[in-house]
Amino acid sequence: MLRYGVCGCGLMGLEHIRNIGAMKNSGLDVAVTALSDPEESSLSEALKVCESLKFDPVAVKSVFDLLVHGSETVVDVVIVASPNHTHCQVLLDIFSISSTVHVLVEKPLCTTVEDCMRVIECAQGRAGLIWVGLEYRFMPPVARLIEEAHSGRIGRIHQMFIREHRFPFLRKVGDWNRFNRNSGGTLVEKCCHFFDLFNLVNHQAIPQRFCGSGGQSLNHLDEIYDGERSDIMDNAFVLAKERESEVPSSPSRAN
């Protein structure tokens, strides 16, 4: 049996639990064996979902207890679905406890370049896999686009363009995602999917230059939390310059 622990039991954590339930119902030998979240309400809701899926996990408050309950290791894989700004410390804690447990961390890896580099450095030499959850690449229409691009059937790609119109950010526990300092900002929180697709279609080419602009024009302007107004950016564009031999420029717009 492959045993999963879920660190962070909000909206995304619940989605992962349900997905593991779907894997179980398809015949795979998997189970959610541990949950961790400092919010009692989130843990309670996650336990209800687990009960409906016939999982019986231990429920704890910290990632330390999630990895080792009593004297026993209770998970083979940890899914990190906690708020973005907590990812760095949670991952470092996991690495300090186990070098073999596998990790799926929700995007973004971290909210700053510095924290990303710390995690990458500390992950060197681990036996366990580390994977960032960028699921757009697996959506059937997108997977087909990538296949067509890599096959060469559409010729040399000179430019990629992605534009999205979407509803405002969902409510999260404690309203953590209402502030850029917690989410990393809209281009990190949301548009990391698009940057991933640019790189993936272009055979993992690394952009050489960026320029962009954005702001907060319509959404969240009336949201005040402890006297501070939400600063979510609701419109932006980014241009990414790839290596000249591959894709000359890849513009992205997030609305």
Side-chain angles (χ1 to χ4, degrees), residues 106-121:
E106 265 296 333
K107 59 78 189 168
L109 176 62
C110 299
T111 56
T112 68
V113 173
E114 292 76 16
D115 281 351
C116 287
M117 297 309 295
R118 284 182 66 197
V119 167
I120 292 170
E121 180 180 355

Side-chain angles (χ1 to χ4, degrees), residues 134-139 142-143 164 166 190 193-194 197:
L134 291 160
E135 74 274 15
Y136 276 39
R137 55 170 67 186
F138 301 109
M139 296 166 61
V142 176
E164 181 185 45
R166 57 162 286 149
K190 186 65 184 71
H193 287 296
F194 306 144
L197 294 181

Side-chain angles (χ1 to χ4, degrees), residues 198-220:
F198 288 149
N199 293 343
L200 187 61
V201 169
N202 195 29
H203 300 281
Q204 301 291 5
I206 298 174
Q208 305 299 301
R209 288 182 291 169
F210 288 94
C211 68
S213 180
Q216 185 183 30
S217 301
L218 296 173
N219 298 301
H220 314 290

Side-chain angles (χ1 to χ4, degrees), residues 10 44 79 99 108 116 118 142 144 150 159 176 179 211 239:
S44 177
I79 296 174
S99 63
C116 287
R118 284 182 66 197
V142 176
R144 176 66 184 276
H150 287 183
Q159 187 178 71
W176 65 264
F179 297 98
C211 68
L239 300 176

Side-chain angles (χ1 to χ4, degrees), residues 170-184:
L170 299 173
R171 293 281 183 182
K172 299 293 182 74
V173 174
D175 299 306
W176 65 264
N177 65 334
R178 284 7 225 176
F179 297 98
N180 292 331
R181 63 176 176 269
N182 297 330
S183 69

